[in-house]
Amino acid sequence: MKKPLQIPVNSIPDLGKDVSLDLGDDWFRHWREEDQGLEFNAGDLTGEVRLEKHGKDILVRGHLEGHLDLACSRCLDYYAAPYTSDFDLLLLPGHEPLAQEEELTAADLDVDFVAGEDVDLQGIIREQIILTVPLKPLCHEDCRGLCPGCGANLNREACTCKA
Ligand SMILES: [Zn+2]
Ligand SMILES: [Zn+2]
């Protein structure tokens, strides 16, 4: 079965192609199944991606918004963390990613390469989310975390260490 969100390069018209995204439970579940080390549980994102041909290169501009279910770094509870991100990526056919010093159309573009006939939007979006997911998410700014002694979740339980 073909992976979702594979966009054939030859389906991108000269004027560009817009792809709207609606990434819900199924999308995240498949990701979890393929990547056991994933640090978040689920999510719900919408957004859009614009693909433009520039000669043989393909410019990918995307926007994602919604939430990810992240484990709080203090109390370890999952919570719905608001998430937005924007990305610009330049895909070069058959090339290794260009070194930073080499001339680019825009200095702040990330460069990737097209491996085949399709633009792997699924892979691009997964990578973007992994790169931008917060490293130390907090369910609340004043989350009280777990007691290091008894392990009680101090947001909702009393510490029993004194007993
Ligand atoms: Zn917390
Ligand atoms: Zn305790």
Side-chain angles (χ1 to χ4, degrees), residues 4-7 18-24 27 44-51 60-66 83 85 87 120-122 124-126 128-129:
L5 292 171
Q6 306 302 298
I7 312 295
D18 293 299
V19 181
S20 57
L21 303 171
D22 188 354
L23 311 174
W27 194 80
D44 191 7
L45 300 176
T46 57
E48 61 276 337
V49 173
R50 179 160 180 80
L51 301 161
V60 183
R61 289 178 187 273
H63 172 77
L64 292 169
E65 63 180 59
Y83 175 87
S85 83
F87 55 95
D120 177 15
L121 261 193
Q122 166 157 289
I124 289 171
I125 291 166
R126 285 181 175 186
Q128 176 65 17
I129 294 171

Side-chain angles (χ1 to χ4, degrees), residues 87 126-127 139 160:
F87 55 95
R126 285 181 175 186
E127 191 175 306
C139 64
T160 55

Side-chain angles (χ1 to χ4, degrees), residues 123-153:
I124 289 171
I125 291 166
R126 285 181 175 186
E127 191 175 306
Q128 176 65 17
I129 294 171
I130 285 174
L131 288 174
T132 53
V133 78
L135 290 176
K136 291 203 175 282
L138 282 182
C139 64
H140 301 99
E141 202 130 320
D142 53 355
C143 170
R144 300 164 76 186
L146 303 177
C147 169
C150 65
N153 182 330

Side-chain angles (χ1 to χ4, degrees), residues 72 74-75 139 143 155:
C72 173
R74 275 187 208 157
C75 70
C139 64
C143 170
N155 294 318

Side-chain angles (χ1 to χ4, degrees), residues 29-102:
R29 194 180 61 244
H30 287 140
W31 192 3
R32 269 197 324 271
E33 285 166 4
E34 289 173 22
D35 184 355
Q36 308 293 336
L38 210 58
E39 289 181 28
F40 46 91
N41 210 13
D44 191 7
L45 300 176
T46 57
E48 61 276 337
V49 173
R50 179 160 180 80
L51 301 161
E52 285 175 11
K53 281 182 178 165
H54 291 263
K56 296 200 164 190
D57 304 339
I58 298 170
L59 182 62
V60 183
R61 289 178 187 273
H63 172 77
L64 292 169
E65 63 180 59
H67 76 265
L68 297 174
D69 286 350
L70 301 180
C72 173
S73 59
R74 275 187 208 157
C75 70
L76 310 182
D77 274 355
Y78 278 96
Y79 71 103
Y83 175 87
T84 53
S85 83
D86 292 282
F87 55 95
D88 287 342
L89 206 65
L90 188 63
L91 306 176
L92 310 181
H95 285 224
E96 292 300 316
L98 288 181
Q100 209 77 44
E101 309 83 64
E102 293 186 59

